[in-house]
Amino acid sequence: MLAPTPQPTPRVLIRTAAAPSTKEAAIREAAQLLVAAGCIDPAYEASMLRREGVANTYLGHGVVIPHGMVDDRHLVRESGLAVLQVPGGVAWHDGQDAHLVVAIAAQSDTHITVLRRLTRLIQDEARLAQLRITGNAGDIAAALAEDAAAPGTAGPAADLAHRFEWVVDYPTGLHARPASAWVEAARGSAARIQVRHGAEVADARNLIALLQLGLRAGDAAVISAEGEDAPAALARVKATVTGLSAGEKAAAERAAEAAARASAPVAGWNPADPARAIPGIGASPGIAIGPIHVLGSTEVAVPDEPEPLTSGGDRLHAALEATAAQLRALADDTGRRLGQADAGIFKAQGDLIADTDLITLACQLMVEGHGVAFAWHQAVERMAGQLSALGNPVLAARAADLRDVGRRVLAQIDPALQAGHALPEEPCILVAPDLAPSDTAGLDPARVLGLATAQGGPTSHTAILARTLGIPSVVAAGPGLMALPTGATAILDGTTGRLYVNPSEVDLAAAAAWRECLRATQAAEALERGLPARTRDGHALAVGANVNTPDQVPFALSQGAEGVGLMRTEFLFLERGDTPDEDDQYATYRAMLEALDGRPLIVRALDIGGDKQVPHLALPKEENPFLGVRGARLLLRRPDLMEPQLRALYRAARDCLPADAPSGKDAPLSIMFPMITSVPEVMALRRACDRIRAEIGAPEVPIGIMIEVPAAAIQADALAAHCDFFSIGTNDLTQYALAIDRQNTDLAPEADSLHPAVLRLVRMTCAGAARHGRFVGVCGGIAGDPFGAGLLAGLGVHELSMTPRDLPAVKARLRASTLADLRAQAEEACAQADAAAVRALDRQESRP
Ligand code: PEP
Ligand code: MG
């Protein structure tokens, strides 16, 4: 039975109850329908058969799409489809039977529309099953005609049966995060739901189509539904649409506040045009000027390597699934660490790759004979190009998201296509979403002038490493950072936490002059860096450096360090792909001692966990890693990690004991344990040390603990009875006292170690230690802040250990003060209401 199509473009010819005996017979029969309708030249039939010889056109679920060779397109006279319904099936490819043979004669890109419809149909198995057996050709014609109202396709923009109108009250319009929540709400039902803006209509399940509507604040939209359970489905979507308004308004207010903060004058360098500033948090001081390089923007050349449609389709499917799983894990992790708002970025990216238009376009390119990686890359580039072309900055940022997620899929299709993190030859300001500590550790300061990250916090390990490397850095500058163009000139001010893109010539000159002033001040401080950190009234503080490897020691000494107050040994594990064995570790500790030539060295036992994850240890994933099996807790549970480290340390202590040292307690080496929360932990660790020391025949060395948890500060007197010294880790103490994840971008401005609560915990620690005559150091970031260092001295701390570059300024500040003044100022600081009030006590003129 032959039925005319209800829709002339493209023409659709349908034959139900067909029974071709072979694939070739099916193709010929379908081709003849097209010939008879005048859609193709008879020669196109041979072209369709040839095509089948080079590519399998089985699309999935019993649907096949035979079509001719690209070069024979001139044989198509009019776009058309011929559909053979084969209820009994016909063998097609590799044991798969075809039940709907959709022969495509396509001029220009009409086949994209057809494929999009087929792709949607394929997802609806029940409907497909019905189409295989229906005696009514109209059912098939209707299924193929659906979706005619997608944006960019012709047809009247009619609303569906149930509807509501809504005026967009999201201040920044319908951007990806809320749109993705709409998609999620719409996908939860079987009803058809669409959104109309003027004459344009988008399927509410389709993120890109929704974004392409370009809805801005004040635009009127009509959201309508029909089909199964439509009123309830529409009510759910309405609840989502309107429920997001308050959050969107609050987000816009926060952004406006941030913008106001960005244009407010700061202590330090201020440009003539402050409106250009992108505000973040200063994480490593100094000015960098240069071209920005957005990490991940590296172009990859994607070769076109055609392969059979079925295996190509399988590979694309597997890559999309793996990427979706990766994005879910990222969203989970980000949600836990930074909150749901940031997790939404990855959820929205997940929706982008589930977009049927995108997948259809990729399939269509594969059907045309292109390789899977090439087809995917092209599809992403075309869609991203369309989004960018709309001239809307919000959509341009989504294009960046689409390209970003597209690269993830590419890397899954073929790991060789992974966009490298290669840096340009020219020194640059690196812009990244965030960097893992191990990535930051590998940065070369000669090539990376400055670092700006969208996420992160000032006490995160990434920020600490940037300080160590002396790379001016801004963290927590927000996701908008990633839409910046690679190559644009920028000024990065790591002291005030601002990035200025495309500054004026006047600002460039002023920033360069300020950078020179900073250098001059640093040079003046550097002249006195070798002098002791003795206050004007004669109180001497010990000053050490936080250094992780022997090769960093000479620089630390050159900056005025008297020893190493913190060696973070987890970096021996983080920077390599395997676990260093006892001998490897021994060699490193020995080299450290030798480099220090008798000066003190405090080695901290492994502090793994929190943000310092070591993939090759395959530790169990934790819901809250900062509150989990971290530091000493891990050491006590994993003797296989702790014991080789302690053996290596005691061997180094034994072999490096100075010949004239009367006892091991005079050995330059001390061992320190991280993340202590209780007396029994310290006792258990001491027992392990004593046993291993006895086995090795090593001298006793001082055993200290880090005070990083409020419980340890409060119980300092009890802990002091069981150890030889304390070192306060103010980075963690701040995070645990204030209940602010040290990597949380939103809360980064509040995670200030000068909060009076943190200072009072330091005061308590010093008092507890004093009862047992114990020595107290501080090795957290605030020890390297000249004003913070003064307060710590005033609170009773004996030693300050910091990144080497901070030493000259801290020493200069201490040498300019008296202990009596510092004590008074510290007491005043503890009595303040908040960190801002404490910082306001800093009366010294801002440098230079
Ligand atoms: C601290 O917490 O202050 C500290 C020095 O340890 P880390 O930064 O390595 O956690
Ligand atoms: Mg710590």
Side-chain angles (χ1 to χ4, degrees):
M1 186 198 310
L2 190 61
T5 165
Q7 258 204 328
T9 318
R11 299 186 64 185
V12 182
L13 309 139
I14 299 168
R15 177 169 287 161
T16 55
S21 55
T22 62
K23 169 174 161 177
E24 184 180 329
I27 293 172
R28 288 192 190 283
E29 192 174 336
Q32 283 310 312
L33 289 178
L34 291 166
V35 171
C39 291
I40 56 170
D41 186 285
Y44 198 66
E45 179 182 313
S47 177
M48 291 170 90
L49 289 168
R50 265 205 315 283
R51 170 97 213 188
E52 215 59 37
V54 294
N56 167 29
T57 56
Y58 186 88
L59 204 59
H61 296 268
V63 177
V64 294
I65 47 166
H67 51 282
M69 306 292 284
V70 178
D71 291 348
D72 293 331
R73 226 179 228 179
H74 62 280
L75 299 172
V76 176
R77 293 186 186 135
E78 185 188 330
S79 289
L81 298 180
V83 184
L84 288 191
Q85 181 211 46
V86 191
V90 54
W92 204 263
H93 182 81
D94 231 6
Q96 291 152 322
D97 286 347
H99 292 269
L100 285 177
V101 177
V102 183
I104 307 176
Q107 279 179 330
S108 68
D109 58 359
T110 42
H111 50 324
I112 298 179
T113 313
V114 174
L115 267 166
R116 179 168 57 205
R117 293 173 188 170
L118 283 172
T119 313
R120 287 188 185 166
L121 200 54
I122 277 173
Q123 290 162 9
D124 188 347
E125 288 192 35
R127 182 125 190 238
L128 261 187
Q130 191 256 334
L131 294 181
R132 283 175 179 188
I133 52 168
T134 179
N136 181 359
D139 289 348
I140 297 175
L144 288 174
E146 270 174 19
D147 182 38
T153 60
D159 298 322
L160 305 176
H162 305 272
R163 45 173 270 161
F164 70 90
E165 280 191 37
W166 180 69
V167 176
V168 182
D169 63 356
Y170 303 165
T172 45
L174 182 65
H175 59 99
R177 243 184 284 167
S180 139
W182 291 23
V183 169
E184 211 166 295
R187 284 195 183 147
S189 95
R192 186 173 158 207
I193 305 173
Q194 68 177 36
V195 180
R196 181 171 65 78
H197 173 218
E200 303 233 307
V201 177
D203 178 345
R205 290 182 177 78
N206 185 327
L207 184 67
I208 293 179
L210 279 179
L211 292 174
Q212 281 177 332
L213 290 177
L215 285 171
R216 295 170 191 245
D219 284 348
V222 178
I223 302 166
S224 59
E226 72 176 12
E228 199 185 321
D229 221 7
L234 198 61
R236 269 197 305 279
V237 171
K238 187 173 184 179
T240 302
V241 168
T242 54
L244 289 168
S245 298
E248 286 298 306
K249 285 177 193 155
E253 271 162 26
R254 281 201 303 277
E257 275 163 22
R261 274 204 312 275
S263 53
V266 284
W269 179 68
N270 280 287
D273 180 6
R276 288 175 189 275
I278 297 175
I281 308 286
S284 175
I287 296 262
I289 303 172
I292 57 174
H293 178 78
V294 182
L295 208 61
S297 64
T298 332
E299 275 303 316
V300 278
V302 182
D304 192 2
E305 288 160 355
E307 67 177 279
L309 199 54
T310 324
S311 60
D314 286 351
R315 288 216 296 142
L316 180 59
H317 182 75
L320 289 169
E321 282 206 331
T323 308
Q326 200 182 56
L327 291 168
R328 275 194 302 275
L330 262 171
D332 274 4
D333 187 48
T334 310
R336 265 201 322 274
R337 292 196 294 110
L338 307 179
Q340 290 313 314
D342 286 288
I345 297 167
F346 299 111
K347 288 196 185 127
Q349 286 200 350
D351 285 329
L352 285 175
I353 55 160
D355 187 277
T356 47
D357 284 355
L358 178 64
I359 297 171
T360 304
L361 183 51
C363 290
Q364 183 266 321
L365 288 163
M366 284 159 63
V367 168
E368 275 182 8
H370 296 292
V372 54
F374 181 88
W376 171 257
H377 185 59
Q378 283 295 315
V380 167
E381 283 304 315
R382 283 190 204 175
M383 293 287 237
Q386 280 172 21
L387 286 173
S388 321
L390 295 174
N392 174 334
V394 174
L395 296 188
R398 295 299 64 82
D401 267 350
L402 183 57
R403 289 193 168 103
D404 183 35
V405 79
R407 271 190 293 272
R408 285 182 192 276
V409 177
L410 260 191
Q412 292 290 344
I413 294 172
D414 180 354
L417 295 176
Q418 192 129 27
H421 279 178
L423 293 178
E425 279 308 309
E426 284 292 294
C428 65
I429 293 175
L430 193 61
V431 168
D434 201 358
L435 279 186
S438 49
D439 285 336
T440 314
L443 295 180
D444 174 1
R447 296 180 65 189
V448 179
L449 303 169
L451 173 66
T453 63
Q455 299 169 7
T459 57
S460 69
H461 286 97
T462 298
I464 292 168
L465 286 164
R467 281 177 89 85
T468 306
L469 293 167
I471 299 177
S473 303
V474 173
V475 296
L481 208 59
M482 300 313 295
L484 293 177
T486 280
T489 302
I491 301 169
L492 181 145
D493 186 345
T495 314
T496 58
R498 294 173 179 211
L499 183 71
Y500 306 90
V501 181
N502 292 327
S504 65
E505 289 300 321
V506 174
D507 283 344
L508 277 173
W514 181 262
R515 187 177 56 188
E516 289 322 304
C517 275
L518 279 176
R519 285 181 182 158
T521 308
Q522 285 161 356
E525 290 165 351
L527 284 178
E528 302 213 318
R529 65 188 188 263
L531 299 174
R534 183 175 292 119
T535 57
R536 284 196 284 121
D537 48 355
H539 177 76
L541 281 117
V543 287
N546 296 349
V547 152
N548 303 331
T549 55
D551 58 303
Q552 295 168 343
V553 169
F555 177 70
L557 297 180
S558 77
Q559 296 303 295
E562 294 159 0
V564 167
L566 172 65
M567 175 185 178
R568 291 179 164 100
T569 57
E570 52 280 2
F571 286 94
L572 302 178
F573 287 63
L574 283 170
E575 284 165 17
R576 44 189 281 172
D578 58 0
T579 301
D581 64 16
E582 181 185 321
D583 285 342
D584 284 343
Q585 292 194 57
Y586 167 76
T588 306
Y589 305 141
R590 217 189 141 133
M592 277 299 274
L593 285 165
E594 283 166 3
L596 281 163
D597 195 20
R599 297 178 185 84
L601 167 66
I602 301 179
V603 178
R604 180 173 76 183
L606 274 178
D607 180 20
I608 286 171
D611 62 335
K612 288 176 286 191
Q613 299 294 337
V614 182
H616 58 87
L617 290 182
L619 297 170
K621 195 166 153 40
E622 295 182 296
E623 274 298 308
N624 291 302
F626 276 118
L627 302 181
V629 181
R630 182 189 166 188
R633 299 170 181 171
L634 180 73
L635 293 171
L636 288 168
R637 282 168 178 76
R638 291 289 301 266
D640 59 312
L641 292 175
M642 179 174 73
E643 295 194 358
Q645 180 166 42
L646 290 181
R647 271 198 299 274
L649 282 167
Y650 276 111
R651 277 171 59 195
R654 180 193 62 196
D655 299 348
C656 296
L657 184 65
D660 56 348
S663 91
K665 284 272 184 186
D666 299 311
L669 177 71
S670 301
I671 299 175
M672 173 162 81
F673 291 101
M675 267 292 288
I676 296 291
T677 38
S678 73
V679 170
E681 273 174 353
V682 182
M683 291 168 73
L685 291 164
R686 263 214 112 98
R687 279 196 300 277
C689 287
D690 288 344
R691 176 172 50 78
I692 288 167
R693 183 175 66 78
E695 281 165 16
I696 285 176
E700 245 186 274
V701 301
I703 293 178
I705 62 169
M706 290 200 70
I707 304 290
E708 304 184 276
V709 180
I714 294 164
Q715 250 196 322
D717 54 346
L719 290 164
H722 299 276
C723 59
D724 301 308
F725 67 93
F726 288 160
S727 184
I728 306 176
T730 45
N731 304 330
D732 276 313
L733 191 59
T734 305
Q735 117 164 308
Y736 294 122
L738 304 183
I740 294 178
D741 181 333
R742 61 198 270 187
Q743 302 184 107
N744 189 309
T745 306
D746 270 0
L747 298 173
E750 289 155 57
D752 191 335
S753 297
L754 289 188
H755 191 290
V758 180
L759 297 178
R760 288 182 192 209
L761 288 168
V762 171
R763 185 169 65 181
M764 240 177 211
T765 305
C766 293
R771 291 223 203 144
H772 297 269
R774 303 298 186 221
F775 172 91
V776 181
V778 173
C779 59
I782 203 66
D785 173 314
F787 174 59
L791 292 182
L792 294 170
L795 289 170
V797 163
H798 306 107
E799 180 234 29
L800 297 164
S801 189
M802 64 204 81
T803 51
R805 280 173 212 277
D806 292 337
L807 283 158
V810 166
K811 279 183 148 185
R813 182 73 171 247
L814 292 172
R815 287 172 57 77
S817 318
T818 64
L819 183 63
D821 283 348
L822 294 177
R823 281 188 175 142
Q825 198 167 49
E827 277 313 307
E828 207 183 341
C830 285
Q832 298 304 309
D834 59 18
V838 174
R839 289 206 178 267
L841 299 175
D842 182 5
R843 293 187 200 97
Q844 178 159 314
E845 293 295 308
S846 117
R847 295 190 310 152

